[in-house]
Amino acid sequence: MALPVQFKAVQHHLRTAQEHDKRDPVVAYYCRLYAMQTGMKLDSKTPECRKFLVKLMDQLETMKKELGDNESVSQEVVGNAHIENYALKMFLYADNEDRAGSFHKNMIKSFYTSSLLFDVLSVFGELSEENIQQRKYARWKATYIHTCLKEGETPVAGPLAMEGEEDEEEGADGGFYDPGPSSGGSFRGPQPQVPPDQGALGPGGPAPGIGFTPGPGPGPMGPPVGPGSNYNNIHIPPGAHAPANTPAELPPAAGGVRLTPDDFTLAQKYCKYAGSALQYEDTATAVQNLQKALRLLTSGKE
């Protein structure tokens, strides 16, 4: 079924879902969930939009049943971590390529797709300020590098001041954003190998801030997922969304320290991000977050 013109804003989120149906069904599921929620806000009354949304809801229901045993779908906290980790992995891959001066369509698409996945994080609640800045920077970088290559110019490698329409649209102050080590992580480590052709870029295909033309079908994209993608010392800051299962009545912690609901929420986040760090084999960050959780639970202080 053709995408109604009213839903043009989510066309690339749906394309990302299609590309990940086999590669990572959890990413595909949440991309469609974001598209459905956004579509409901855009237009749920006209017949073509209503028909499209009903079909999308049926597809989501089918996927949810198929992924019923997957904690990333059944538990929002785990799903949130899954999508954020995936977005950060693509962001870091593209940022490493950018800093190395290696400009190509794979890294452009990785930048742009990571910005779409930061959009998708909004299904779990309000985005953290860090995620908002990463989304803005990734989308702007993709636009900037794509435009430079299209016009036969050499892009400036690494972080630089953001200018142009993307800043104006998002209310930016034209400031400098460096997603590197000063933002809480070192991007040292082996560079992932770029798979061949992950989708064409072209002048057509209007998208917010960049002109991507969807490829003929699913294909490899971004950094490979697995043991080979080892980023050392990645620090993922706690987000702004709290898990829904925080108990109403909270028992005193060990040692007679009485914790608040916010303390339990923060401790859960530290544990979640410790688990996320272990996915990147980053033991230092995992230990650091676990120590923070333990200190908070035993003393009531961060």
Side-chain angles (χ1 to χ4, degrees):
M1 181 178 178
L3 181 72
V5 65
Q6 295 92 325
F7 295 160
K8 183 178 178 180
V10 297
Q11 64 177 337
H12 293 286
H13 301 85
L14 290 171
R15 168 59 63 177
T16 300
Q18 183 181 357
E19 291 173 340
H20 285 80
D21 275 330
K22 293 184 178 179
R23 186 183 314 140
D24 192 323
V26 172
V27 170
Y29 173 81
Y30 282 112
C31 284
R32 290 192 174 95
L33 181 60
Y34 171 82
M36 187 198 71
Q37 292 181 353
T38 304
M40 292 288 288
K41 297 174 184 177
L42 293 173
D43 188 341
S44 60
K45 296 181 179 180
T46 58
E48 62 172 340
C49 290
R50 189 183 304 116
K51 185 177 180 181
F52 184 89
L53 288 172
V54 169
K55 182 178 179 181
L56 188 56
M57 289 177 189
D58 291 341
Q59 189 174 13
L60 282 167
E61 189 63 28
T62 299
M63 293 185 71
K64 192 170 185 179
K65 290 179 180 177
E66 293 174 350
L67 299 170
D69 295 334
N70 193 316
E71 289 186 348
S72 293
V73 172
S74 61
Q75 298 184 32
E76 284 194 358
V77 172
V78 182
N80 184 358
H82 185 101
I83 299 301
E84 187 171 21
N85 288 343
Y86 199 94
L88 287 171
K89 181 176 289 188
M90 299 198 77
F91 180 90
L92 293 176
Y93 161 75
D95 185 68
N96 279 330
E97 291 292 284
D98 176 34
R99 289 166 185 265
S102 179
F103 305 111
H104 47 82
K105 62 185 179 182
N106 289 358
M107 65 90 74
I108 296 173
K109 190 170 183 181
S110 290
F111 259 137
Y112 189 66
T113 302
S114 72
S115 77
L116 298 177
L117 294 177
F118 287 124
D119 286 340
V120 172
L121 281 175
S122 65
V123 304
F124 304 105
E126 184 179 354
L127 294 183
S128 68
E129 183 61 30
E130 185 80 3
N131 289 157
I132 291 172
Q133 290 298 321
Q134 288 165 330
R135 176 180 64 181
K136 176 180 171 183
Y137 181 82
R139 192 163 293 167
W140 178 83
K141 260 293 185 178
T143 306
Y144 166 72
I145 297 172
H146 174 64
T147 301
C148 286
L149 296 183
K150 184 179 177 181
E151 296 178 355
E153 300 176 357
T154 301
V156 177
L160 66 162
M162 292 180 279
E163 300 174 352
E165 293 182 2
E166 186 66 18
D167 267 353
E168 295 172 3
E169 290 176 359
E170 303 222 17
D173 56 6
F176 181 88
Y177 175 63
D178 183 353
S182 61
S183 292
S186 170
F187 299 159
R188 297 188 300 272
Q191 299 290 330
Q193 295 299 311
V194 182
D197 192 20
Q198 50 181 228
L201 293 176
I210 194 163
F212 282 124
T213 301
M221 176 179 62
V225 180
S229 301
N230 177 22
Y231 295 95
N232 296 323
N233 302 324
I234 295 175
H235 172 65
I236 305 172
H241 11 274
N245 59 349
T246 303
E249 296 297 328
L250 303 174
V257 177
R258 181 167 291 277
L259 302 176
T260 67
D262 288 341
D263 291 333
F264 278 92
T265 295
L266 185 56
Q268 287 178 321
K269 288 178 181 178
Y270 283 141
C271 292
K272 178 183 74 172
Y273 288 111
S276 299
L278 289 175
Q279 293 184 14
Y280 295 99
E281 301 179 5
D282 182 4
T283 55
T285 299
V287 170
Q288 182 184 41
N289 280 280
L290 289 173
Q291 288 175 336
K292 288 181 179 179
L294 183 60
R295 182 165 57 250
L296 178 61
L297 292 172
T298 55
S299 68
K301 299 178 181 179
E302 292 188 51

